[in-house]
Amino acid sequence: MFLALDAWIDSTLYEAGFKAAELWENITIFFRRFRVYGLKRAIVELFSEAFTLGAAGAVVMLALAMPAFKETAGNWRAQDDYAVTFLDRYGNEIGQRGIIQRDSVPVDEIPDHVIKAILATEDRRFFEHFGIDFLGLARALTENVRANSVVQGGSTLTQQLAKNLFLSNERTLERKIKEAYLSLWLEMNLSKKDILQYYLDRSYLGGGTFGIAAAADFYFNKSVKDLSLAEAAMIAGLFKAPARYAPHINLPAARARANEVLTNMVQAGFMTEGQILSARLHPATAVDRGGADAPDYYLDWAFEEVKRIAPNGTTHSLVARTTLDPGLQRAAEESLEFHLRQYGKDYDVSEGAIVLMDTDGAVRAIVGGRDYGASQFNRATRAERQTGSSFKPYVYAVAMEKGFEPESVISDGPISWGSWSPRNYGRGYAGRVTLTTALIKSYNTVPVRLARDHLGIDPIVELVKSFGVESPLNGHKTMVLGTSGMTTLDQATGYSVFANGGYAGARFGISQLLTHSGDLIYDKARDMPPPHRVLSEKAAASMNRMLIQVPEHGTGRRAALPMTRSAGKTGTTQSYRDAWYVGYTGNYVAAVWLGNDDFRPSRRMTGGSLPAMVWQRLMAYAHQNVELKPLPGIDGPMRIETDETVSASAAGDGGSASADALPLALSARSSAYLKRLSKAFEEAPPLKMPSDAEALSAL
């Protein structure tokens, strides 16, 4: 039986192999008919390789497209359903967001010369391309090479809309890839008229206005339907750089730009030189708006807060009373611009962000960048940048909760955690030191040793989240030295727990929401949960005892205030890409970040240099004429003068509190006049007292 089975298996396998060989031979004979030689073979090989590479490219394109298409998951069409008028903390109107900026005007009702002015300048081949204009891109590259500078952009109107709807202004390759895919997606899902409509309604055009209808009303006090050719050309020139060409700020530049738009219309064949001659001879003049600047970064964030907290089922036309303090907002903007203008080139840094809040979480000022007109990306609320050593207080806070004391001694020496071997900034080690010394000197090995041997990573992550920080933490062991990204708003939120004695009350920017008829639909005091303790009173006091020494004896001496004691921590990331100073007093908490949008390293800028100077200038102003409050758990005088703080206040090296610093209470013109007057007194010859005889003769 088994011999028969074995024979059957052998014969079956032999026959199957024979049949397979016969089949392969028949297939080979069949395909010989299609064998080509010479030039035909080269063409076939070329198409074969192209097909292979095309298939591989399709897979790569799909992988790149998936992150872009995730941006379309939300209800992006209805993102501006709300119509909100914003008031500051004193009840004064500071701006608007949403459709209240002006109801949309259909494209069919907008004058033809307005549409032509925009298309001639922004995208002449809008109705011909499919979202990406390769001919326009080639033309722009040619013109830029010829002019040896960037004189034309290659982005289509659809690409600009994709950026406005879904993306930010960050100059990264990832954003450009997403922009290209989203442009194709928009072209597939919207008509050309719809794309143009969204572009006209959602673009920022300076003066705090979004949309061409709002711009027409703001600049010329008229409907977009009534714009003249000269006015249309001036508005069309705003799409490129609204801050630079806003007519209420720089009318000559706006008129020069409008003249370029008129030239573009002639070059595009939309109008003749004769038709635009009158607009050239009689340029538009904008309505005088007094040059008032709206706190746009703050308003953008507050608008998102309104949409988050507004009760369901209520009207979307609202009045929001915010916590913004106009004086502190201007001081924050001035401090950032002053230091970047003075020292930005020295440190090779171009951008910054500031958040200032009361210790109870009321956000008083937000600066999301140097120029809202140039970039509406809010670096204070949306940019998650590595925190560096400014993250270390969270690690020490967990240690305080676990029973450590500021005087506890731990080794500052070489350490390895798996394959990771962190070192101190100066490459040296101090041996056995107290936790206070380790924090104020910002030693790296000590928090790593605490996390590895005593705390663990999970308790640190849990504590930071309990502080109200919303930025996702990576949970990696390197997180203890600040490799996880956080927003400036989150940094201020986290440190407010120390300033508030261990209590976390969710930050807030909206104190009340009302309808236009005066009905109160949201009240922070009524609807927001009260602060809750997340850090013990003892641990909070210990953290304040340590952090108060950073500006007095440690890495943050340039942040020392002349009128009250403060606490804080510096932060500097690898390659000097990000620099932080986050600090607080009994009155305010402020977080300052400085860096570059493209993640380019700065020129050795640390958190104790420019960020500390920005923080000091702002907080010195904020504490003028206010009742100074002590920090929780800190006994003794409100201010201690030490050699370190005196030298910091009088430091050269661009210190913002130097003897030559401008008085914050005076305008630049008044300060300059007083300095000239002081110099004149110094250089004036001494007065000669008359003798008694001369005095008598004069009588």
Side-chain angles (χ1 to χ4, degrees):
M1 175 181 175
F2 291 106
L3 288 175
L5 179 61
D6 180 68
W8 179 82
I9 293 175
D10 289 343
S11 60
T12 301
L13 291 175
Y14 175 79
E15 290 179 4
F18 180 79
K19 292 291 185 182
E22 187 179 18
L23 177 62
W24 178 253
E25 184 178 1
N26 291 334
I27 292 174
T28 303
I29 294 172
F30 174 78
F31 277 101
R32 283 175 183 171
R33 304 174 186 177
F34 304 101
R35 186 173 296 177
V36 293
Y37 301 92
L39 180 60
K40 290 183 178 180
R41 181 179 180 86
I43 296 174
V44 170
E45 291 289 345
L46 181 63
F47 275 100
S48 176
E49 293 297 326
F51 181 80
T52 303
L53 293 175
V59 174
V60 174
M61 291 181 65
L62 179 61
L64 293 174
M66 292 177 65
F69 293 151
K70 288 181 181 179
E71 303 286 346
T72 66
N75 187 15
W76 54 271
R77 293 175 184 265
Q79 65 180 13
D80 285 337
D81 278 350
Y82 281 87
V84 186
T85 299
F86 290 96
L87 311 177
D88 63 20
R89 64 181 299 192
Y90 305 112
N92 302 311
E93 183 174 338
I94 54 175
Q96 302 169 342
R97 285 294 184 270
I99 59 176
I100 199 171
Q101 294 169 328
R102 295 301 172 265
D103 292 333
S104 173
V105 176
V107 171
D108 295 335
E109 298 180 18
I110 297 177
D112 186 59
H113 60 266
V114 177
I115 301 297
K116 288 180 176 178
I118 295 170
L119 293 183
T121 305
E122 297 300 316
D123 192 353
R124 298 178 188 178
R125 301 183 66 253
F126 172 67
F127 290 102
E128 301 171 20
H129 62 67
F130 54 89
I132 302 174
D133 185 8
F134 293 103
L135 292 178
L137 182 61
R139 183 184 66 249
L141 288 174
T142 302
E143 292 296 326
N144 293 339
V145 170
R146 183 180 303 169
N148 198 27
S149 64
V150 180
V151 296
Q152 285 191 17
S155 296
T156 65
L157 188 147
T158 312
Q159 287 176 277
Q160 295 178 52
L161 177 62
K163 182 181 68 174
N164 292 340
L165 289 178
F166 305 110
L167 306 173
S168 70
N169 279 42
E170 284 189 304
R171 297 178 181 178
T172 61
L173 179 61
E174 180 185 5
R175 196 217 77 189
K176 293 299 293 183
I177 292 174
K178 286 184 177 181
E179 182 182 288
Y181 279 109
L182 290 171
S183 300
L184 300 176
W185 185 87
L186 287 172
E187 292 280 349
M188 293 292 293
N189 289 274
L190 298 176
S191 66
K192 286 288 187 179
K193 186 169 76 172
D194 288 338
I195 292 174
L196 183 59
Q197 184 76 63
Y198 278 112
Y199 181 75
L200 296 179
D201 290 343
R202 302 289 179 90
S203 296
Y204 178 69
L205 296 174
T209 63
F210 285 82
I212 193 170
D217 179 76
F218 181 82
Y219 293 119
F220 304 113
N221 203 23
K222 60 173 62 174
S223 168
V224 66
K225 302 176 184 179
D226 301 324
L227 290 177
S228 66
L229 177 58
E231 293 165 342
M234 189 168 285
I235 287 183
L238 294 172
F239 286 87
K240 179 180 180 180
R244 188 187 310 168
Y245 300 120
H248 70 303
I249 296 176
N250 193 340
L251 184 58
R255 285 179 170 176
R257 175 64 176 164
N259 199 48
E260 292 180 16
V261 172
L262 295 173
T263 301
N264 292 337
M265 296 177 71
V266 175
Q267 293 177 347
F270 294 161
M271 283 190 173
T272 65
E273 188 65 42
Q275 290 175 307
I276 68 167
L277 181 60
S278 178
R280 288 193 193 275
L281 296 177
H282 303 92
T285 300
V287 175
D288 184 9
R289 296 291 181 182
D293 292 327
D296 290 306
Y297 288 116
Y298 191 103
L299 293 178
D300 286 349
W301 173 72
F303 188 43
E304 296 300 320
E305 289 294 291
V306 169
K307 291 188 286 186
R308 182 179 63 84
I309 66 177
N312 294 329
T314 59
T315 177
H316 282 193
S317 182
L318 301 169
V319 176
R321 186 157 192 159
T322 71
T323 58
L324 178 129
D325 187 303
L328 296 179
Q329 177 70 29
R330 287 191 295 270
E333 294 170 355
E334 187 275 340
S335 183
L336 179 64
E337 178 59 29
F338 172 82
H339 287 93
L340 286 179
R341 186 176 62 250
Q342 292 289 100
Y343 312 110
K345 290 185 179 179
D346 296 337
Y347 286 103
D348 192 19
V349 59
S350 59
E351 276 297 350
I354 300 174
V355 172
L356 174 68
M357 62 171 61
D358 283 351
T359 55
D360 65 355
V363 180
R364 297 302 184 194
I366 291 179
V367 182
R370 295 185 69 177
D371 188 345
Y372 186 84
S375 170
Q376 292 85 57
F377 178 64
N378 196 332
R379 296 158 187 82
T381 63
R382 297 178 61 189
E384 295 176 359
R385 305 294 293 240
Q386 290 188 352
T387 56
S389 294
S390 63
F391 187 87
K392 292 175 183 175
Y394 303 118
V395 180
Y396 284 85
V398 177
M400 297 300 108
E401 287 282 42
K402 295 290 187 179
F404 283 85
E405 301 283 347
E407 295 77 20
S408 298
V409 176
I410 197 167
S411 174
D412 171 40
I415 185 173
S416 294
W417 192 347
S419 59
W420 181 44
S421 300
R423 294 183 295 178
N424 290 329
Y425 178 77
R427 298 294 188 265
Y429 301 98
R432 294 179 60 80
V433 295
T434 64
L435 293 185
T436 298
T437 300
L439 181 58
I440 67 176
K441 299 298 183 182
S442 201
Y443 295 146
N444 287 336
T445 65
V446 172
V448 174
R449 198 177 305 276
L450 285 172
R452 187 195 68 175
D453 299 340
H454 305 283
L455 309 177
I457 293 297
D458 291 341
I460 299 173
V461 173
E462 292 173 5
L463 183 80
V464 173
K465 289 182 178 179
S466 71
F467 278 19
V469 172
E470 298 178 358
S471 301
L473 302 179
N474 58 30
H476 192 264
K477 56 192 174 185
T478 60
M479 179 191 69
V480 299
L481 296 186
T483 61
S484 191
M486 290 174 63
T487 65
T488 311
L489 181 60
D490 275 340
Q491 283 275 67
T493 302
Y495 276 62
S496 68
V497 174
F498 303 135
N500 210 17
Y503 283 91
R507 65 197 176 212
F508 64 99
I510 308 297
S511 56
Q512 288 182 331
L513 282 179
L514 304 96
T515 65
H516 283 275
S517 59
D519 297 329
L520 182 66
I521 64 172
Y522 173 85
D523 186 2
K524 182 264 175 185
R526 180 192 67 192
D527 301 318
M528 192 171 175
H532 58 284
R533 181 170 290 282
V534 295
L535 192 65
S536 68
E537 183 177 359
K538 179 181 178 182
S542 296
M543 290 303 303
N544 288 338
R545 283 164 49 198
M546 290 193 291
L547 289 172
I548 204 171
Q549 298 186 55
V550 173
E552 294 178 0
H553 310 290
T555 57
R557 290 192 292 273
R558 284 189 176 124
L561 296 173
M563 75 291 293
T564 186
R565 301 184 79 180
S566 65
K569 186 68 184 75
T570 58
T572 310
T573 63
Q574 288 185 339
S575 301
Y576 302 95
R577 286 187 173 89
D578 304 281
W580 296 81
Y581 189 82
V582 190
Y584 55 93
T585 65
N587 298 78
Y588 295 108
V589 184
V592 176
W593 165 83
L594 291 176
N596 295 302
D597 283 344
D598 57 3
F599 295 90
R600 184 180 73 254
S602 67
R603 190 173 291 118
R604 301 185 67 83
M605 178 181 64
T606 64
S609 57
L610 207 55
M613 292 152 60
V614 173
W615 189 92
Q616 197 275 347
R617 186 178 179 93
L618 167 61
M619 293 293 266
Y621 176 88
H623 287 80
Q624 290 181 359
N625 303 318
V626 299
E627 180 184 352
L628 299 177
K629 301 176 182 178
L631 284 167
I634 300 300
D635 299 325
M638 294 290 291
R639 184 76 186 110
I640 295 180
E641 292 291 346
T642 65
D643 293 340
E644 289 87 350
T645 54
V646 170
S647 62
S649 298
D653 193 27
S656 61
S658 66
D660 295 330
L662 299 179
L664 291 173
L666 300 177
S667 66
R669 181 179 299 177
S670 299
S671 300
Y673 177 78
L674 289 178
K675 292 184 74 173
R676 290 197 302 269
L677 187 61
S678 176
K679 186 176 181 180
F681 277 120
E682 292 176 358
E683 297 177 350
L687 292 175
K688 181 181 179 182
M689 296 298 294
S691 62
D692 293 339
E694 291 174 335
L696 290 173
S697 63
L699 293 175

